[in-house]
Amino acid sequence: MKIVTCIKQVPDTEAEIKWDIPKGTLKRDGMDPIINPFDEFALEEALLTRENYDGDIIAISMGPEKASDVLRNALALTVNEVHRLTDEAFAGSDTYATACVLASAIKKIGDVDVVFCGKQSTDGNTGVVGAELAAILGYSQLTYVSKVRQIDAANKKIVIERAIEGGIEVIEAKLPAVVSVIKGINEPRLPNLMGIRKAAKIEIPAWNADDLGIDKAKVGYEGASTKVVEIAVPPPRGAGEILKGELEDIANIVTDKLIDLKVIK
Amino acid sequence: MANDVWVYIEHKDGNASPMSFELLGIGKELADNLGSSVCAFVVGENVENIAKEAFSYGASKVYAVEDGVFKGFRAEAYAKAASFLLDKYKPEITLFRATSQGTDVSAASAASLGFGLCTDSIGIKVDGGQIKLTRAAFGGNYTVTVVNEKAKPQITTVRPKAFSMPEKDASKQGEIIKESFSIAESDLNTKVLEFIKSEVALNLVEADIIVSGGRGVGGDDGFKMMKELADVLGAAVGASRAAVDSGWISYEHQVGQTGKTVKPKIYIACGISGAIQHLAGMRTSDCIVAINKDPDAPIFKNASYGIVGDYKQVVPKIIEKFKTKLNK
Ligand SMILES: Cc1cc2nc3c(=O)[nH]c(=O)nc-3n(C[C@H](O)[C@H](O)[C@H](O)COP(=O)(O)OP(=O)(O)OC[C@H]3O[C@@H](n4cnc5c(N)ncnc54)[C@H](O)[C@@H]3O)c2cc1C
Ligand SMILES: Nc1ncnc2c1ncn2[C@@H]1O[C@H](COP(=O)(O)O)[C@@H](O)[C@H]1O
């Protein structure tokens, strides 16, 4: 089986964010990077799939030089192959352009059975690249996946559970499929020392727009259809009132205030 | 009409999802500013009733694709029908709710039409004839305003509860435009085998009131108390990641950057410190009440009302007061 996992490097939420104004994109260089939390689950699911059904894992990430770190971490966790997708022309891509670049890489890899993505990235926060990828590639679109029940590569079938509003939906789908996973699907493992040492020495290969056969006008800042025109810090909520006094009085005040909102039935 | 505003209507088992008509309100406002009309569109097996209801919430027209193959939601099938409609009529903008279904259909439709979309908008306005969409970025520390220069129609998902539900007027009527569009079952990739209903009665994202517990509530007993308060208020129960990771409550309750984004009218945070990743999921709530024993907890900077104290004393007292005042 051929398994691809898409992992993204994101800035640590606590880190100071640097915006590229006027482009309205994040300056990713020089920020404290971590692997997108949801992609740890995607990577772990790829490892579990290989353990259960055999096969090769190829991890891909679109991003600058620094994004090599998340791929090196994937290598330390013993994925078989990694590719960093990088080109000046990719900078400033929106979700669709990102999905196009990832799709081109998946086509280049070829004969892929299943692609694991995270539910969403914590910087872009869009949560749509997985679905877009499936639509572009014509693969089965399986989102919010909380469990992979079974994969039958010979008969090109997969059965999964999706955690959606109101319950769990069980779906049988044809392979190839894009599976985007939520937290809780597994417990991501940590690399061991030997893995880390081995991975440290490996050169992370890169694919650029030409390698991927991508029309540069269609991706990156130029190609993006959605553009950021304004960045603002939301007004602080204005710290409200700290209720002081005897508990009896505080409880009276707060319950009155909440009842006055006329929301409680 | 070419600059109409379209709203996608979700349904399940033949009925429109209760909150599905929410976006017709903001849709109408946008259409008025654009000098056009707000229309609903729906994909399904039998859409007559749903369409009628959409009129009563303000849709002037309903575009529908009706066929047996669309019985029950399937992302790929619905997205194909949606992109067929959007490509044919090219409305100015199409609004989806940022639910799992809305996200799946909007993303796949936009991708098959060949452009990007803006997700989880919390502000939408027309400025000099151009539609500007505002969304939270980067854990809610920033808001970014986005325009879509190339895409026609523009597509966005909208954060549930970001805009108020329009008034219902059952006397309103409109025109249903049915399009024949179908897909052979054999051309579809997926089959729904079953749906296992969750035991959790209230959907966190749709709830008007949420009572949330964090590490500070200490365990299962703490969450029993959260549940008790929630029951008195008709609220859903939320949690911080620390509480979920401790195994006190399941992940579907997690609020925050790696959990759900919620915008209830009342959010009561008990024993939650107010880490930036938690705030990302709830800071746009209308009224926030924080109960925490540490007066310096960051949650107080975001709370409408703060109570410094031990939740074990505060919460039972509040439950008692609510019970008396609400005659429960
Ligand atoms: C990438 C990433 C993603 C994350 N995503 C999320 C997310 O989606 N959601 C989320 O919530 N967190 C998330 N976190 C974790 C977040 O950073 C915090 O660690 C977490 O929110 C803390 O939870 P807490 O407030 O319950 O616990 P703590 O920070 O430990 O706070 C407990 C609070 O309880 C108070 N307390 C203790 N005892 C009592 C008592 N008896 N009565 C009243 N108050 C009491 C304490 O004063 C303290 O303020 C994420 C972190 C990272 C790095
Ligand atoms: N630049 C990227 N490189 C690799 N994978 C990505 C990239 N951007 C998004 N993804 C994948 O798509 C998922 C959803 O991302 P998003 O739509 O940005 O929230 C992530 O969890 C990743 O699996």
Side-chain angles (χ1 to χ4, degrees), chain A residues 165 168 183 222 237 248, chain B residues 100 150 283 317 321:
Chain A
E165 295 84 354
I168 302 282
K183 174 180 160 175
E222 291 309 320
R237 283 189 65 95
E248 188 70 26
Chain B
S100 65
K150 296 182 187 156
R283 74 154 32 113
K317 198 74 188 166
K321 295 283 173 204

Side-chain angles (χ1 to χ4, degrees), chain A residues 208-256:
Chain A
N208 64 20
D210 292 336
D211 297 326
L212 294 170
I214 286 171
D215 177 355
K216 290 184 189 174
K218 293 222 168 100
V219 293
Y221 181 70
E222 291 309 320
S225 59
T226 49
K227 295 225 161 105
V228 173
V229 290
E230 193 186 318
I231 299 161
V233 176
R237 283 189 65 95
E241 198 181 332
I242 297 280
L243 304 174
K244 295 212 169 87
E246 293 298 319
L247 179 55
E248 188 70 26
D249 302 330
I250 291 179
N252 263 324
I253 296 171
V254 77
T255 51
D256 281 346

Side-chain angles (χ1 to χ4, degrees), chain A residues 165-191:
Chain A
E165 295 84 354
I168 302 282
E169 187 177 69
V170 186
I171 291 192
E172 181 186 288
K174 292 178 197 160
L175 291 180
V178 177
V179 174
S180 57
V181 305
I182 62 167
K183 174 180 160 175
I185 186 171
N186 54 42
E187 284 287 336
R189 70 193 76 181
L190 293 170

Side-chain angles (χ1 to χ4, degrees), chain A:
Chain A
M1 190 157 26
K2 230 175 187 178
I3 307 156
V4 168
T5 173
C6 300
I7 53 183
K8 185 181 188 185
Q9 188 192 46
V10 296
D12 190 344
T13 329
E14 316 271 350
E16 192 195 340
I17 310 300
K18 296 183 190 100
W19 292 96
D20 181 343
I21 298 170
K23 282 196 177 168
T25 52
L26 288 175
K27 274 191 190 164
R28 290 176 193 277
D29 290 325
M31 274 196 286
D32 238 8
I34 56 169
I35 175 170
N36 177 37
F38 284 104
D39 299 351
E40 294 187 59
F41 301 106
L43 178 54
E44 176 64 28
E45 204 54 35
L47 294 166
L48 291 171
T49 304
R50 186 181 61 183
E51 278 164 23
N52 289 335
Y53 304 101
D54 234 6
D56 280 339
I57 304 173
I58 303 106
I60 56 175
S61 184
M62 172 178 131
E65 180 68 43
K66 265 248 139 229
S68 299
D69 296 350
V70 293
L71 292 173
R72 188 160 280 117
N73 181 59
L75 280 172
L77 285 164
T78 75
V79 309
N80 304 78
E81 201 179 308
V82 299
H83 297 282
R84 185 167 65 91
L85 318 177
T86 190
D87 199 301
E88 297 257 298
F90 298 166
S93 287
D94 64 1
T95 57
Y96 176 67
T98 303
C100 285
V101 173
L102 295 173
S104 312
I106 291 165
K107 280 190 209 141
K108 188 175 164 84
I109 291 165
D111 294 322
V112 171
D113 296 288
V114 53
V115 179
F116 288 107
C117 289
K119 172 187 158 245
Q120 78 190 86
S121 59
T122 54
D123 57 348
N125 247 323
T126 57
V128 290
V129 166
E132 290 178 338
L133 200 50
I136 294 168
L137 292 165
Y139 288 10
S140 297
Q141 175 182 340
L142 302 172
T143 51
Y144 306 96
V145 172
S146 55
K147 186 175 178 165
V148 176
R149 281 197 182 173
Q150 202 205 341
I151 300 180
D152 180 349
N155 291 305
K156 298 265 165 217
K157 264 201 297 210
I158 181 169
V159 180
I160 54 92
E161 296 181 8
R162 313 171 65 219
I164 55 170
E165 295 84 354
I168 302 282
E169 187 177 69
V170 186
I171 291 192
E172 181 186 288
K174 292 178 197 160
L175 291 180
V178 177
V179 174
S180 57
V181 305
I182 62 167
K183 174 180 160 175
I185 186 171
N186 54 42
E187 284 287 336
R189 70 193 76 181
L190 293 170
N192 62 28
L193 210 59
M194 205 172 70
I196 295 172
R197 273 210 205 108
K198 256 190 173 163
K201 295 193 202 98
I202 302 175
E203 184 82 20
I204 306 290
W207 280 342
N208 64 20
D210 292 336
D211 297 326
L212 294 170
I214 286 171
D215 177 355
K216 290 184 189 174
K218 293 222 168 100
V219 293
Y221 181 70
E222 291 309 320
S225 59
T226 49
K227 295 225 161 105
V228 173
V229 290
E230 193 186 318
I231 299 161
V233 176
R237 283 189 65 95
E241 198 181 332
I242 297 280
L243 304 174
K244 295 212 169 87
E246 293 298 319
L247 179 55
E248 188 70 26
D249 302 330
I250 291 179
N252 263 324
I253 296 171
V254 77
T255 51
D256 281 346
K257 295 214 189 250
L258 293 182
I259 289 168
D260 282 348
L261 295 174
K262 299 202 163 39
V263 183
I264 305 165
K265 295 196 181 88

Side-chain angles (χ1 to χ4, degrees), chain B residues 58-288:
Chain B
S60 65
K61 282 184 196 147
V62 172
Y63 293 84
V65 167
E66 236 181 12
D67 193 277
V69 77
F70 302 116
K71 179 181 164 70
F73 176 76
R74 278 185 288 180
E76 48 161 353
Y78 277 46
K80 286 200 169 97
S83 30
F84 164 79
L85 280 177
L86 296 180
D87 194 40
K88 174 158 181 187
Y89 289 97
K90 297 194 171 52
E92 185 65 27
I93 184 163
T94 305
L95 313 177
F96 292 80
R97 296 184 84 226
T99 55
S100 65
Q101 183 175 139
T103 306
D104 266 353
V105 177
S106 61
S109 305
S112 45
L113 294 170
F115 47 75
L117 73 162
C118 177
T119 55
D120 206 29
S121 294
I122 51 177
I124 312 177
K125 63 169 191 243
V126 180
D127 184 1
Q130 193 175 39
I131 296 174
K132 291 190 169 167
L133 302 163
T134 301
R135 66 188 301 267
F138 218 74
N141 287 342
Y142 296 90
T143 57
V144 294
T145 299
V146 176
V147 296
N148 204 328
E149 288 169 344
K150 296 182 187 156
K152 180 82 179 168
Q154 297 185 46
I155 294 181
T156 185
T157 64
V158 181
R159 179 172 297 179
K161 294 178 162 301
F163 300 97
S164 48
M165 190 80 185
E167 295 287 330
K168 185 172 184 171
D169 175 353
S171 70
K172 282 194 191 152
Q173 288 182 0
E175 183 192 354
I176 303 183
I177 297 148
K178 287 191 186 169
E179 286 290 338
S180 52
F181 176 82
S182 186
I183 308 167
E185 185 59 47
S186 56
D187 286 339
L188 289 170
N189 286 331
T190 52
K191 195 159 76 192
V192 178
L193 300 183
E194 63 174 319
F195 187 75
I196 307 160
K197 254 185 114 173
S198 160
E199 286 149 31
V200 185
L202 257 177
N203 177 338
L204 204 59
V205 174
E206 308 289 11
D208 275 335
I209 310 172
I210 295 174
V211 176
S212 234
R215 196 194 319 268
V217 308
D220 297 339
D221 288 345
F223 270 96
K224 275 197 197 111
M225 200 189 280
M226 297 301 112
K227 179 87 178 44
E228 198 188 333
L229 175 56
D231 285 346
V232 174
L233 299 174
V237 176
S240 73
R241 183 172 107 173
V244 170
D245 287 354
S246 306
W248 303 336
I249 189 160
S250 65
Y251 169 62
E252 62 184 310
H253 297 268
Q254 183 179 317
V255 172
Q257 191 182 46
T258 47
K260 297 205 160 73
T261 305
V262 297
K263 192 183 178 300
K265 299 212 167 74
I266 302 175
Y267 188 91
I268 305 179
C270 305
I272 293 178
S273 61
I276 195 153
Q277 296 90 351
H278 188 79
L279 293 172
M282 46 62 80
R283 74 154 32 113
T284 58
S285 304
D286 294 350
C287 175
I288 298 173

